[in-house]
Amino acid sequence: MRAIWLSFFQMLAYMRRDRMLFAACLAPVLAGLSFRFGIPLLEAVLTDWFHVSAILSPYYALIDIFFAMLSPAMFCFVSAMVSLEEVDEKTAAYLFVTPLGRNGYLAARLCIPSAVAFLVTVVLLPVFKLTSLSAADIILLAAGGTLQGIISALLILTFSSNKLEGMAVSKLSTLLISGAAIPFFIKSDVQYVLFLLPSFWMGKSICENASLYMLPAFVLLITWICVLLKRYLRKT
């Protein structure tokens, strides 16, 4: 366990030297401030300008869902970038044969950052939320967002061989969270075309105020992680 924590702190030291990665870790707070204060202000301006009762407010719940996925996405992105840098420097392979081992390396690069992201989301979401989410909704969204962040990290690690490719894959991986918007905009059964996206079920759960929809979300999240993790381990 000591080796895992040492490896994690080594990653933090690397993050402090890379301003882009350090800024990525601050993004949830900056985004939260923008969402909490900027969007209601924009809503007031738009409704006054167009003389309507609501424009953005029907989608406040969707914004909360995206915010729940933001911290895990950023933290796991940073972790994946550090791992790719270690691959470039040929240090990852050496770490696998140290007492840390491959499992310890994964714990330091994925498990601990994900756990931190979960705690950060549980703390920040109640502060910056735009809707009256219950405590259960906050926990479920934080857990779902954390698993979604792990999927994004595994996509980067599995399909990238360097940091440049990792940046490109990270942009594509953000498309996976777009499924959360579908239940808010498409009410017909056509929406189920994207049923394989875990974020779709997370969005449906909040849109229809039915926590039961989180069950297929978690099943799909775990399935995605298992498939991608198997491919990543084969690659390493």
Side-chain angles (χ1 to χ4, degrees):
M1 192 64 188
R2 182 171 179 271
I4 293 174
W5 281 107
L6 287 175
S7 180
F8 174 70
F9 290 135
Q10 180 184 18
M11 183 183 73
L12 294 181
Y14 180 87
M15 287 166 46
R16 285 196 294 269
R17 298 195 299 269
D18 191 315
R19 293 184 179 180
M20 182 193 74
L21 298 183
F22 184 76
C25 292
L26 298 178
V29 175
L30 299 177
L33 290 170
S34 299
F35 290 170
R36 181 64 181 85
F37 301 105
I39 290 180
L41 178 62
L42 180 61
E43 169 76 341
V45 172
L46 290 176
T47 52
D48 182 64
W49 180 271
F50 292 103
H51 304 290
V52 294
S53 60
I55 295 178
L56 299 177
S57 56
Y59 307 107
Y60 280 1
L62 178 59
I63 295 172
D64 286 343
I65 296 172
F66 284 148
F67 182 73
M69 298 187 204
L70 182 59
S71 293
M74 291 294 99
F75 285 28
C76 291
F77 163 77
V78 169
S79 177
M81 288 297 104
V82 173
S83 297
L84 288 177
E85 181 68 22
E86 291 171 338
V87 170
D88 287 343
E89 296 176 352
K90 312 297 183 184
T91 58
Y94 292 105
L95 289 173
F96 287 170
V97 297
T98 64
L100 178 66
R102 187 169 63 175
N103 291 337
Y105 182 82
L106 288 174
R109 295 295 179 271
L110 284 179
C111 296
I112 296 180
S114 298
V116 172
F118 173 79
L119 294 175
V120 169
T121 304
V122 168
V123 171
L124 293 184
L125 185 55
V127 175
F128 296 125
K129 62 184 175 68
L130 296 174
T131 58
S132 56
L133 294 172
S134 66
D137 287 334
I138 290 172
I139 296 296
L140 289 173
L141 285 176
T146 299
L147 294 177
Q148 185 70 58
I150 294 175
I151 290 174
S152 298
L154 287 173
L155 282 170
I156 295 171
L157 294 173
T158 302
F159 296 103
S160 308
S161 56
N162 54 59
K163 290 179 70 176
L164 183 60
E165 293 180 1
M167 292 290 293
V169 175
S170 68
K171 293 177 182 179
L172 292 175
S173 67
T174 57
L175 295 176
L176 294 178
I177 72 174
S178 62
I182 301 302
F184 288 86
F185 295 98
I186 301 177
K187 301 302 181 181
S188 67
D189 290 343
V190 176
Q191 63 181 263
Y192 290 102
V193 171
L194 297 178
F195 75 98
L196 288 178
L197 292 181
S199 60
F200 165 75
W201 297 101
M202 293 173 64
K204 197 166 180 63
S205 172
I206 300 301
C207 180
E208 300 186 10
N209 194 26
S211 299
L212 187 62
Y213 283 123
M214 289 300 293
L215 179 59
F218 283 113
V219 171
L220 285 169
L221 285 164
I222 294 171
T223 302
W224 275 73
I225 290 174
C226 290
V227 172
L228 290 171
L229 183 59
K230 185 176 180 179
R231 293 199 61 172
Y232 173 65
L233 293 177
R234 189 184 302 124
K235 173 184 175 181
T236 57

